[in-house]
Amino acid sequence: MSLKPGELREPPVSLYVHMPWCVQKCPYCDFNSHQLRQELPESVYIEALLIDLQQEAKRLGSRQISTVFIGGGTPSLFSAESISGLLSGIKQTVQYSEAMEVTLEANPGTLDISRFNGYPDAGVNRLSVGVQSFADQHLQKLGRIHDGQAARQAVTMARQCGFANLNTDLMHGLPEQTIESAMSDVQHAIDLDVPHISHYQLTLEPDTPFYYKKPVLPEMDDLWEIQLACHNLLSDNGYHQYEISAWSKPGHECRHNYNYWQFGDYIGIGAGAHGKLTCEQTQSVTRRWKHKSPQRYIEHINASHPEQSIEGQHVVDHRELPFEFLMNHLRLTSGFEIEIFKQRTGMAIDCLEPELSGCIQQNLLFRSNQGIACTAFGWRHLDAILEQFLPELEVDRV
């Protein structure tokens, strides 16, 4: 690839809020989550988040926040009153869209009816329930604190409390999982009339208990059969796949995640939160991340040194931008528009040659009037596609 920097345009910007505590750590999880061993420091942490946001807001200028995602960890450990205070503080600190999507992640083992009733009043308009499976035996192997009945009750209560915009997370490729049990999980979500389903494969991430003591997982051919059967079931029931692991009824796509996959911008507040921000003035894209330790994060904020809560910052080399763009955008069934590629990377589409033409000839990618996307065959081999666009970042010699 021959890369010549062009002109970057500022994309839409979202806000990610990280709540780092869980009741217990799941053996497959590599997120920045910490087992809660004492009383939850709700008010102290909410105050720290809003001070953090004040610092991040200085980088936004007049840009509006279009979506908020409160993730974790287990955000549903926080009361509706705390979430209300957080969202009120956000609206007082940054400019935001009146149609802002506000998602809260919730786990069935931490929910009760009072919280379900309180979250919509607090300003949450989308709930994402971490079900993972409706089968007791699989939930036990995954180290979850809820059972299948609690999962069903959580989704039912969410609907009863007015969450029309609702997601359930489902894993497949679980230890000793069969095609029938995987399809049963999906059917449960369909029967509960969930409008958005995240359906993703269990992966063994480094530095997790599952990585060091590997469970017996389905064979590769079985994994493909499980995925194909579940996806056919979803399609037959009116769900459309708009991203590798995301299925929804029309109008219920996750706008926050969509912004990630379109290589949009986002700021992150909270312990371990990451952000990515494009600046037209400096023609640069900067990534920054906060300290992972909740205690250290709070200590820096409380000591009136919020800038010290930043663990690292990196200005992305322009040679990395096309690869980062493709790594996100090619996850979408729609692929990407050429004009969006220019705006988000500052590059002409020609910079992807000759690799782009090679992928088209190999039936991995296809070009349409709208832009470029993966073929069905290419989607199965996305890693192989991306490898062809890895940037060469060797040190330049003087």
Side-chain angles (χ1 to χ4, degrees):
M1 295 186 295
S2 176
L3 304 181
K4 296 180 181 179
E7 187 172 2
L8 286 165
R9 297 294 186 198
E10 292 175 349
V13 59
S14 297
L15 169 63
Y16 175 72
V17 184
H18 192 70
M19 305 300 208
W21 292 282
C22 286
V23 174
Q24 68 181 30
K25 184 84 171 178
C26 296
Y28 59 84
C29 179
D30 70 336
F31 294 158
N32 182 41
S33 59
H34 305 262
Q35 185 169 344
L36 186 62
R37 302 183 184 278
Q38 54 190 6
E39 185 178 354
L40 184 69
E42 284 198 57
S43 59
V44 173
Y45 193 70
I46 296 296
E47 181 180 357
L49 288 172
L50 293 176
I51 295 172
D52 190 356
L53 181 61
Q54 291 171 7
Q55 300 300 308
E56 292 290 339
K58 297 174 183 177
R59 306 166 64 218
L60 289 178
S62 60
R63 299 174 70 181
Q64 279 191 348
I65 296 294
S66 58
T67 66
V68 176
F69 195 101
I70 306 171
T74 306
S76 52
L77 289 172
F78 284 74
S79 67
E81 291 76 17
S82 290
I83 299 301
S84 177
L86 170 65
L87 294 175
S88 295
I90 289 171
K91 291 180 178 180
Q92 293 169 15
T93 306
V94 298
Q95 297 189 49
Y96 61 94
S97 166
E98 291 295 333
M100 184 167 66
E101 175 191 86
V102 180
T103 301
L104 179 96
E105 286 187 333
N107 284 335
T110 62
L111 287 168
D112 56 46
I113 192 67
S114 63
R115 294 200 175 190
F116 270 124
N117 282 322
Y119 288 142
D121 292 339
V124 177
N125 53 34
R126 184 176 184 272
L127 199 69
S128 180
V129 184
V131 170
Q132 313 310 347
S133 175
F134 290 97
D136 290 349
Q137 68 270 26
H138 294 316
L139 290 169
Q140 291 169 6
K141 291 181 183 297
L142 291 173
R144 304 296 288 177
I145 63 172
H146 66 274
D147 58 17
Q149 182 179 0
R152 289 185 288 272
Q153 288 175 338
V155 175
T156 300
M157 283 195 297
R159 296 306 304 266
Q160 292 174 346
C161 292
F163 279 107
N165 206 0
L166 178 67
N167 169 68
T168 58
D169 287 340
L170 289 177
M171 282 186 174
H172 63 88
L174 306 180
E176 302 176 20
Q177 188 178 48
T178 63
I179 294 177
E180 291 74 21
S181 62
M183 292 180 68
S184 176
D185 277 343
V186 173
Q187 188 64 57
H188 270 95
I190 293 171
D191 292 343
L192 290 166
D193 197 24
V194 177
H196 189 286
I197 298 173
S198 298
H199 190 247
Y200 55 97
Q201 183 179 322
L202 171 65
T203 55
L204 304 182
E205 303 292 350
D207 298 324
T208 64
F210 268 12
Y211 184 80
Y212 293 112
K213 190 176 181 180
K214 294 179 173 57
V216 178
L217 301 181
E219 298 292 334
M220 190 62 67
D221 288 345
D222 293 332
L223 286 172
W224 174 243
E225 292 298 325
I226 287 172
Q227 181 174 314
L228 187 61
C230 290
H231 288 189
N232 286 339
L233 181 59
L234 286 163
S235 181
D236 290 343
N237 282 274
Y239 292 83
H240 75 102
Q241 186 179 23
Y242 66 97
E243 188 267 344
I244 283 179
S245 59
W247 293 76
S248 81
K249 295 289 183 70
H252 288 277
E253 298 82 0
C254 178
R255 287 163 45 201
H256 185 88
N257 287 344
Y258 219 115
N259 189 44
Y260 287 157
W261 297 321
Q262 290 182 315
F263 204 47
D265 281 353
Y266 52 97
I267 55 174
I269 59 173
H274 284 239
K276 164 198 170 263
L277 211 55
T278 303
C279 179
E280 286 187 10
Q281 184 177 359
T282 60
Q283 286 293 289
S284 63
V285 174
T286 302
R287 294 189 179 276
R288 69 194 302 181
W289 52 97
K290 309 298 170 63
H291 284 292
K292 289 185 176 182
S293 164
Q295 180 179 356
R296 189 175 180 186
Y297 171 82
I298 292 172
E299 286 174 352
H300 285 308
I301 299 290
N302 287 346
S304 299
H305 297 298
E307 70 283 351
Q308 293 183 12
S309 68
I310 302 169
E311 184 174 44
Q313 182 166 295
H314 167 64
V315 178
V316 182
D317 190 297
H318 74 271
R319 292 171 292 182
E320 297 177 83
L321 291 176
F323 175 76
E324 290 200 8
F325 178 95
L326 294 176
M327 186 169 59
N328 287 277
H329 241 296
L330 288 180
R331 293 178 62 91
L332 295 169
T333 55
S334 58
F336 64 90
E337 298 177 13
I338 292 174
E339 184 58 32
I340 295 296
F341 177 83
K342 294 178 182 178
Q343 294 175 10
R344 305 281 162 92
T345 67
M347 308 285 179
I349 194 67
D350 293 346
C351 79
L352 297 178
E353 297 294 357
E355 291 82 0
L356 176 59
S357 293
C359 286
I360 292 174
Q361 291 172 4
Q362 297 171 59
N363 193 36
L364 295 169
L365 299 175
F366 72 94
R367 189 191 296 260
S368 67
N369 292 334
Q370 289 74 36
I372 294 164
C374 283
T375 63
F377 175 69
W379 235 15
R380 290 187 61 185
H381 302 278
L382 183 55
D383 288 345
I385 294 174
L386 294 173
E387 285 178 5
Q388 301 188 47
F389 296 95
L390 278 169
E392 297 180 3
L393 296 177
E394 63 270 4
V395 178
D396 295 330
R397 297 185 180 183
V398 178

